[in-house]
Amino acid sequence: MQTTLSERCLWLQTSAEAPVQYPALTNQEEAEVCVVGGGITGLSTALHLAEKGIKVILLEAGDIPTGGSGRNVGLVNAGLWIPPDDIVAALGEEKGERVNTILGGAPAKVFDIIERYAIECDATRTGTLHLGHNTKGCQELARRRDQLQNRGAPVTLIEGEACERMTGTSQIHTALLDKRAGTINPCAYTRGLARAAADLGAILYCQSPVTGIERQEDRWRVLTQNGSVTASRVVMATNAYTEDDWNQVRQHFFTGHYYQLASEPLTGEAADAILPEKQGAWDTRTVLSSIRRDKAGRLILGSLGKGEGKPLAYLTRWADTIQNHYFPELGNVRWEYTWTGKVAFTPDHTLRIFEPAPGILSATGYNGRGITTGTVVGEGFAHYIANEDDSLLPLPLSQPKPIKARPLWSCAYEGGFSLYHAGQCLRVLI
């Protein structure tokens, strides 16, 4: 059994993109656009605005990255969480297919930025694997395969011995391979976006939490404790880490969490057999388990729910249970890192892009698809600001109704996740 598990984020510890100490805002500034939030959405917005020569100032409450942009699984996935036909059913034909098309092409956008700006984020482009853990799960994968192939997506069902070779486990007999996708170190990607934006002239301020926004004639004044930015347009890119009551983004999602554990670097035949082509993977369980390897060969397991505040022995028990189920040949594994990030959920599992007031743009509700969705939303915001054209956004700007009973949604989700994990630890749900 391990004795070295500590609450640290692996991605921050192993990022090849070095941290940069951006200054805090201490005076009164002016820009064409002020971006609030230094995660992937905000930095993608700033980068694409800077590419167009538009003066942009970004304000981040902590460092880059602080929130989920540096703490997620690192899967560069296409589309939304739900299948494309379900997206159409939820949003209607026109909007649904717009989401399917734009987010289906989102991984290519991410990898293009990585290549253009030489971002060192351990990117792989060998796809991702959705793992069918039982008969019902395999049937769901076949349904997704059919819907995606009908839209021209390069997806394939891998079955039998080929599936076992590709996943490294005899517990999975069917997996859906999406060749559009891949993996990254999300912290390194976020830092790389910041570096690229700053190199193009975007001004980044960290340790500068916004305390409010006020209208000044036809412009907006974004306030911090020690300064302000006055701009014609404001982009609220705070997503799951929105905490202030004045920020209307808070009304349009409910908070969830995702935790992960990473092992020590693994070597040997048993380790090399796990995801040998370096795909990221997740299963079809009611409360999913994610599985991937990093550049050093660590095994990284994760699931929905909050790891913070839970005993390390509980988290280790969960990780041991999942590892022994899927990869018993490894024997005892020593876990070194565990960390938690926030997820912005919506009841219909679709994102929201809206304009809470004239000149203010907002997006939230990525439901666990933040790398790709945040990247294309940022590009879409920049295009809209420059051209008054929202066609690059996954959805047109709208005025959605606030989500009711958000704390109850959060409690219900977290309670369900915890019960499910307890069942796994007791080997009732394996």
Side-chain angles (χ1 to χ4, degrees):
M1 286 294 181
Q2 64 81 38
T3 58
T4 60
L5 181 64
S6 63
E7 294 187 75
R8 296 178 295 160
C9 178
L10 171 70
W11 308 126
L12 273 69
Q13 302 295 320
T14 60
S15 169
E17 290 279 343
V20 175
Q21 298 299 314
Y22 296 100
L25 179 66
T26 57
N27 52 16
Q28 318 305 312
E29 299 272 8
E30 293 193 0
E32 293 178 69
V33 182
C34 179
V35 175
V36 181
I40 290 172
T41 302
L43 290 166
S44 176
T45 303
L47 172 61
H48 286 97
L49 286 169
E51 287 179 336
K52 300 175 186 297
I54 295 173
K55 184 177 180 181
V56 55
I57 293 176
L58 181 145
L59 302 175
E60 163 57 38
D63 294 318
I64 294 176
T66 295
S69 292
R71 306 179 72 83
N72 61 67
V73 183
L75 302 182
V76 186
N77 273 324
L80 288 176
W81 178 252
I82 57 178
D85 283 3
D86 294 0
I87 295 170
V88 171
L91 300 174
E93 182 77 21
E94 183 178 351
K95 291 181 180 178
E97 293 300 358
R98 174 170 167 171
V99 167
N100 288 330
T101 298
I102 291 178
L103 293 184
K109 297 277 189 179
V110 171
F111 291 121
D112 176 66
I113 289 172
I114 291 170
E115 183 176 350
R116 280 192 290 128
Y117 292 103
I119 298 175
E120 298 182 67
C121 59
D122 303 331
T124 72
R125 297 195 67 174
T126 53
T128 54
L129 292 165
H130 198 172
L131 312 177
H133 81 289
N134 60 13
T135 300
K136 183 178 179 181
C138 294
Q139 292 170 346
E140 168 63 16
L141 294 183
R143 185 173 79 97
R144 288 176 180 259
R145 183 269 317 271
D146 293 342
Q147 293 179 22
L148 289 165
Q149 286 187 347
N150 286 341
R151 292 168 171 84
V155 299
T156 306
L157 273 186
I158 311 297
E159 300 178 285
E161 292 182 3
C163 180
E164 184 172 342
R165 287 195 301 272
M166 185 167 281
T167 61
T169 176
S170 60
Q171 296 295 329
I172 297 295
H173 304 291
T174 302
L176 183 64
L177 172 64
D178 189 337
K179 298 179 182 178
R180 298 170 294 180
T183 66
I184 57 173
N185 176 321
C187 170
Y189 177 63
T190 306
R191 287 175 177 170
L193 288 175
R195 170 177 58 78
D199 286 347
L200 289 176
I203 301 171
L204 311 182
Y205 290 110
C206 288
Q207 301 299 326
S208 302
V210 173
T211 57
I213 298 178
E214 60 185 28
R215 191 69 170 170
Q216 284 197 337
E217 297 180 351
D218 61 343
R219 307 187 80 196
W220 291 98
R221 187 167 179 242
V222 182
L223 306 172
T224 71
Q225 186 174 1
N226 298 309
S228 68
V229 177
T230 302
S232 299
R233 297 288 186 95
V234 176
V235 174
M236 299 302 303
T238 48
N239 201 21
Y241 288 77
T242 308
E243 297 179 351
D244 299 300
D245 289 334
W246 60 262
N247 187 341
Q248 293 188 39
V249 173
R250 188 177 182 182
Q251 302 174 17
H252 295 279
F253 73 92
F254 60 93
T255 303
H257 296 84
Y258 198 98
Y259 70 82
Q260 297 176 78
L261 288 90
S263 74
E264 64 182 347
L266 303 176
T267 58
E269 185 176 345
D272 293 343
I274 299 172
L275 300 170
E277 297 179 20
K278 306 304 180 187
Q279 288 94 357
W282 69 102
D283 59 30
T284 56
R285 295 177 185 278
T286 302
V287 180
L288 66 84
S289 300
S290 63
I291 308 166
R292 62 165 296 191
R293 308 286 301 280
D294 75 347
K295 186 177 180 180
R298 295 178 178 87
L299 176 64
I300 305 161
L301 302 178
S303 189
L304 292 160
K306 185 186 291 186
E308 293 173 350
K310 289 186 171 67
L312 295 182
Y314 171 90
L315 297 175
T316 300
R317 176 65 180 270
W318 176 85
D320 286 342
T321 301
I322 300 302
Q323 176 254 306
N324 286 321
H325 174 71
Y326 282 132
F327 312 112
E329 295 83 3
L330 286 177
N332 290 333
V333 170
R334 185 164 61 189
W335 305 100
E336 292 188 334
Y337 298 86
T338 184
W339 66 100
T340 296
K342 293 182 181 180
V343 182
F345 285 121
T346 55
D348 62 0
H349 307 294
T350 61
L351 74 160
R352 297 184 170 203
I353 303 175
F354 55 104
E355 196 168 12
I360 299 180
L361 302 174
S362 305
T364 192
Y366 297 169
N367 292 279
R369 296 292 176 103
I371 293 172
T372 42
T373 307
T375 299
V376 299
V377 166
E379 180 187 30
F381 278 160
H383 183 78
Y384 177 73
I385 290 168
N387 302 288
E388 295 296 331
D389 173 16
D390 69 1
S391 62
L392 295 188
L393 288 167
L395 283 171
L397 291 165
S398 64
Q399 297 295 330
K401 295 180 180 180
I403 297 171
K404 296 180 180 179
R406 293 180 298 104
L408 293 179
W409 280 100
S410 294
C411 288
Y413 268 50
E414 184 60 35
F417 298 154
S418 295
L419 285 172
Y420 194 90
H421 294 144
Q424 288 180 310
C425 290
L426 294 171
R427 303 193 67 81
V428 174
L429 295 174
I430 288 294

